[in-house]
Structures are given as structure tokens and as C-alpha cells.
Amino acid sequence: MKNDFTLTPHVGAKGFGVLLNLFFPSLLKRRSLSTLMTALTLISLYGCAKKDDPAPDPKKEEPDPGTNPGTNNLVDYDPTFPLYEGKANFSAMLPDGKVVIWGSSEKTAEQVFRVTKDGQHDADFDTGKDKSWFIRKANDIAVQKDGKVILAGEFLVNGKTCSIIRLTSSGVLDNSFTPYDVTKLTSYTITISNLLVLADGKIVFSQSMFNSSLSLRYNGIFGLNANGTVAFSVEGAWIRRVNDDTHIIGSNEINDIIQLSNGKLMVCGGVKFFNKRRYVARINSDGSLDESFDFKESINGGVGDPLCLAEQNGKILVGGSFNALVSESQRDTQYPFLNLMRLNADGSIDQTLGVNTITNHPIGIIVRDDNSFVTLSNAFSNGDNTHISLYNSNGVPKASYNIADSKSALKNLFRQSNDKLLVTGNILNSSHSYAIARLNVK
């Protein structure tokens, strides 16, 4: 079942008064039963508006993105969460529901800002107060439990260039953190992404380095201690010389890193891990490969790389643009997937996952309390503008919805609670761009 969001204008106190003026004079003149019934019917239809609702502003451009609260949609914009004008390139959510955004906003001139759990600009976080650093390039963002913010990119800090810095919970540079610097490798184009703060405070990220003149590419996974010093690097998770198959080879970067409930890391991307694991691998907390997880599949025809991961009751949901997966050792027939697969604890494909009918590949997955899950997607080249899809616990699709214009660039899906999810990105509707919105999920 696929449902497009619909928009219904609200009737405020002024509209309610107009209805009374229209119908009650007739009642006084004729006092007919039919007129009375007509008036009562119309009043009951429009009487859901609160008396203190503001009158509609005729100058305000309508409609804003959102649906009609109170409909039977399983997903709907939360009318209590204000639509936040701006754009989110990178974002991360704190345990208290606040969201730190790296992008732009009409409410502040700063590139990095914070939004309260109820959608208001948080003035207690202000990066403009500290002039000792500035941003040259943005790559990713993560947050610690104590509210501190990790930024990855290219920065000038006290006249020195570095790649990862930390801000305090108020937005100023945290000088207790040793900035991570890879810019000394000037012959390489370097990209740091997939920032993740682990439960023990360590910081994990992927690092891609490429030298086009030497045809050298290195992809690695690194862990930093809480103070910024290097804790570990994942030995073997590197891409070496492109024409050398004796080491790790691949053309794409690592796409996603998550921490599992047992503390281990799950990693996906268009790379081989340790020359035998492709696309998905499990990493122990010390950075070594978990040999008990053996993903033996390869993507048929190179149609796409895994893009996102989520843990579902011990199993792993992997979202990507899959046309088919082919087992190199167990079968020579294709097992079809469109954009979603589920892996067992040993890395084998869980073929009890429901038949996938949604054509857009997910960029984010949220698992709910009952193990049902929600995926976030962007518009697809075939014209499918599905953004939000709901699945039951076995992966059978329940419903899908469009929540914005097809040219929107959605980035992240966060869980504030079991029935409230946050979407960030460039959420377009008409001439408006919104950085963040909240969804109610039934």
C-alpha cells in the first residue's frame, strides 16, 4: 500500500465565527428544523478547531510540508514540532533528543547549530563565540553522551590544519581533545566519514585516502581514545594498489559503521575485508576481524554497495541497491533482493525476510520496540518518490509514504522514541527548505 501525503487547511477561530454569523441569523428568522440541522452539521464539521487557534495568514505560502493530523496514515508529520527552515548536510542526535546539525539555518549564521528536542533553536550552543578555529571542509559529525560534538573535515585551529576536532556542549573548541591530523599526507585526497562514538567513549571513523598519480587507494577504520589519541586501526581493512589483488582491493569507500549491542562493530562498504570478506564484516572491539561472521555473498554485476546497517534482535539489516546476490560457494542461482537484506549472526542471509516490494534503497533504518522497522529513502531514478517505508518484524512491507518533494536530499533518520522519529536533510516543499522535521509513527 502506497499513500501520498495530503494537505488539509485548518479552520481557526475566525472561520468558526464566520460560520456562526452565516447560519444563526437564519435560525432566528425561520427557526426551521432543517436549517437547525444544517447549522449543527456544519458546526460539528468545523468545530474541531480550538477557539484560541490563530486565524490563517493569507500571506503565508501554503501548503507547508506535512499531512493532515488525525488521518489514518501510519506516518504523519508531528504538528507540535515546528518546521525548521534551513538545510542539514550532517547531523547527530544526543541522548536527550536534541540534534546537532552541520548545515545552514535562517535562525543563525553559524554552520554548526543545535536544535532542541521540540524543534526550537538552542541558543545555549553557539560556535560563533570561539574565534580560535574555523571550518574549511565538512565531512561528518557525531555527538558524545555528555553533549560534546565531534567534527570531521578540514579545520584551521590556532593556525594549524587538522582533520578531527571536538567542541564542548556549549559549542566552543575543547582544548582537552588532541586534534586528529592527516593533512600532512598532502599527496593524498583524504575523506573522513562514518564518525561514531562508542559506548566506552572511543571514537571510530573510516578514512579514505587516494593518490591518483600513483593509483594508490587506502581505506581504513580507525579508533581514537576519548582524548583524541589513536586507539587502534583495523589491520587489513585497507585498499591497496588498484592492480594488486594480493591485498585488499575495492573502488569504493566504507559506507556505514554501527556498534552492536555486544560491543562489536558492524561495517559495510564496497571493499574486501582481509582479502576474503566482501561488503559486510564484523569487527571486534580491539579492531581485529571477527572470524565467526562470514558473509559469503558478492553483489551480482556490481549494481551497488551496502549503504546502511541496523541491528534487529541479534540479526543485521543491510540496506543498499541490490538487484541480486550470488553465493560463490553454495549456489549458482540468484536470490533476488531489491534494496534490503537481513543477515543471521553468522553472516548468512536470512531468507525468512519478507519479499521486498519497495524500489528505493534505504539510507537509514530504525528498529522499533516490537522489531518492526522504518526505512528512509530518497527519490529514485524510476520516478518513485517513496521516502518512508514501514515493515513488520519479518520484513513484510506495511506502507510507504512521500513526505517531501522529489528533489529533496534526505540525510538521516533518528529515533526520539518508539513513535517519534526525526528526519534531517534538505527537506523541500514548494519554495521552502527545512533542515529537520519530526514524524509520528503509529
Side-chain angles (χ1 to χ4, degrees):
M1 178 180 68
K2 183 175 180 179
N3 301 294
D4 288 341
F5 280 148
T6 57
L7 298 159
T8 303
H10 297 283
V11 177
K14 183 179 290 186
F16 185 74
V18 169
L19 289 171
L20 293 178
N21 291 332
L22 285 174
F23 290 101
F24 274 86
S26 299
L27 290 172
L28 293 173
K29 289 180 180 180
R30 291 182 293 205
R31 299 180 181 274
S32 67
L33 180 60
S34 61
T35 306
L36 177 61
M37 292 303 296
T38 301
L40 291 175
T41 300
L42 287 168
I43 290 171
S44 65
L45 287 173
Y46 292 93
C48 60
K50 297 179 181 179
K51 292 183 180 181
D52 57 352
D53 283 349
D57 183 358
K59 297 181 181 180
K60 185 177 181 181
E61 218 174 303
E62 294 289 353
D64 283 328
T67 64
N68 179 24
T71 66
N72 292 323
N73 287 342
L74 298 179
V75 176
D76 212 335
Y77 276 100
D78 186 343
T80 67
F81 192 93
L83 294 164
Y84 197 99
E85 294 271 359
K87 178 181 179 180
N89 297 320
F90 307 99
S91 51
M93 192 180 75
L94 292 160
D96 61 3
K98 294 179 181 179
V99 177
V100 181
I101 294 174
W102 196 341
S104 60
S105 170
E106 291 187 353
K107 300 180 185 297
T108 178
E110 304 305 323
Q111 295 183 52
V112 183
F113 52 94
R114 193 168 65 196
V115 178
T116 69
K117 66 178 182 179
D118 297 318
Q120 305 294 331
H121 177 71
D122 189 349
D124 292 334
F125 184 88
D126 184 6
T127 59
K129 294 183 296 186
D130 188 349
K131 306 299 182 183
S132 65
W133 67 281
F134 67 86
I135 301 168
R136 285 178 171 173
K137 179 183 177 182
N139 283 132
D140 206 354
I141 189 171
V143 292
Q144 298 182 175
K145 292 180 179 179
D146 60 2
K148 292 184 177 181
V149 178
I150 313 295
L151 301 179
E154 186 177 327
F155 313 95
L156 192 66
V157 177
N158 296 319
K160 296 182 180 180
T161 304
C162 58
S163 306
I164 296 180
I165 63 173
R166 185 168 68 191
L167 307 180
T168 68
S169 59
S170 62
V172 302
L173 185 68
D174 184 357
N175 291 310
S176 67
F177 183 85
T178 302
Y180 180 77
D181 181 20
V182 295
T183 57
K184 58 186 178 182
L185 301 173
T186 55
S187 61
Y188 288 83
T189 300
I190 302 169
T191 302
I192 292 176
S193 56
N194 301 305
L195 274 178
L196 176 67
V197 178
L198 305 182
D200 62 0
K202 288 188 176 70
I203 301 161
V204 171
F205 58 92
S206 62
Q207 180 173 294
S208 173
M209 300 181 290
F210 180 66
N211 185 309
S212 57
S213 62
L214 298 176
S215 296
L216 287 173
R217 182 186 295 274
Y218 300 95
N219 280 1
I221 302 168
F222 290 84
L224 303 181
N225 293 310
N227 63 359
T229 58
V230 176
F232 66 83
S233 63
V234 179
E235 181 183 354
W238 293 80
I239 296 178
R240 294 292 179 90
R241 187 179 296 274
V242 175
N243 59 0
D244 180 5
D245 198 29
T246 62
H247 291 86
I248 312 308
I249 297 177
S251 60
N252 299 307
E253 300 173 5
I254 293 167
N255 296 130
D256 198 10
I257 304 173
I258 64 171
Q259 186 173 31
L260 304 176
S261 56
N262 61 8
K264 296 182 179 182
L265 302 179
M266 188 64 63
V267 184
C268 69
V271 297
K272 292 181 182 178
F273 294 91
F274 299 83
N275 202 32
K276 58 182 178 179
R277 304 303 199 280
R278 295 182 179 180
Y279 305 113
V280 185
R282 191 164 62 204
I283 307 297
N284 296 315
S285 58
D286 62 356
S288 62
L289 177 70
D290 183 354
E291 295 282 355
S292 65
F293 184 91
D294 190 5
F295 181 66
K296 296 180 179 179
E297 304 294 329
S298 63
I299 295 177
N300 183 42
V303 297
D305 300 324
L307 291 174
C308 61
L309 300 164
E311 184 177 15
Q312 183 202 36
N313 196 26
K315 297 185 178 183
I316 307 300
L317 294 168
V318 186
S321 54
F322 314 121
N323 284 345
L325 297 174
V326 180
S327 170
E328 298 175 331
S329 60
Q330 297 178 353
R331 59 180 181 270
D332 53 14
T333 58
Q334 295 184 358
Y335 183 75
F337 289 88
L338 288 178
N339 60 35
L340 190 67
M341 65 179 173
R342 186 166 62 193
L343 304 180
N344 296 311
D346 62 357
S348 62
I349 291 180
D350 179 6
Q351 297 193 26
T352 67
L353 185 74
V355 176
N356 198 330
T357 61
I358 308 300
T359 57
N360 287 358
H361 63 260
I363 61 172
I365 305 174
I366 295 294
V367 178
R368 305 180 72 196
D369 291 347
D370 61 357
N371 282 315
S372 65
F373 55 95
V374 183
T375 64
L376 177 70
S377 305
N378 276 307
F380 196 52
S381 58
N382 67 357
D384 188 345
N385 192 28
T386 298
H387 299 111
I388 294 289
S389 299
L390 278 68
Y391 299 82
N392 69 13
S393 59
N394 276 333
V396 176
K398 295 167 60 178
S400 62
Y401 299 97
N402 303 338
I403 64 171
D405 288 354
S406 60
K407 294 182 179 180
S408 298
L410 307 182
K411 295 293 185 179
N412 294 101
L413 185 65
F414 300 113
R415 168 179 161 148
Q416 274 193 330
S417 65
N418 191 52
D419 58 355
K420 291 189 182 297
L421 305 181
L422 296 177
V423 177
T424 65
N426 189 17
I427 308 170
L428 299 175
N429 186 274
S430 300
S431 59
H432 294 284
S433 174
Y434 301 98
I436 184 170
R438 186 160 67 191
L439 303 176
N440 290 327
V441 183
K442 297 179 181 178

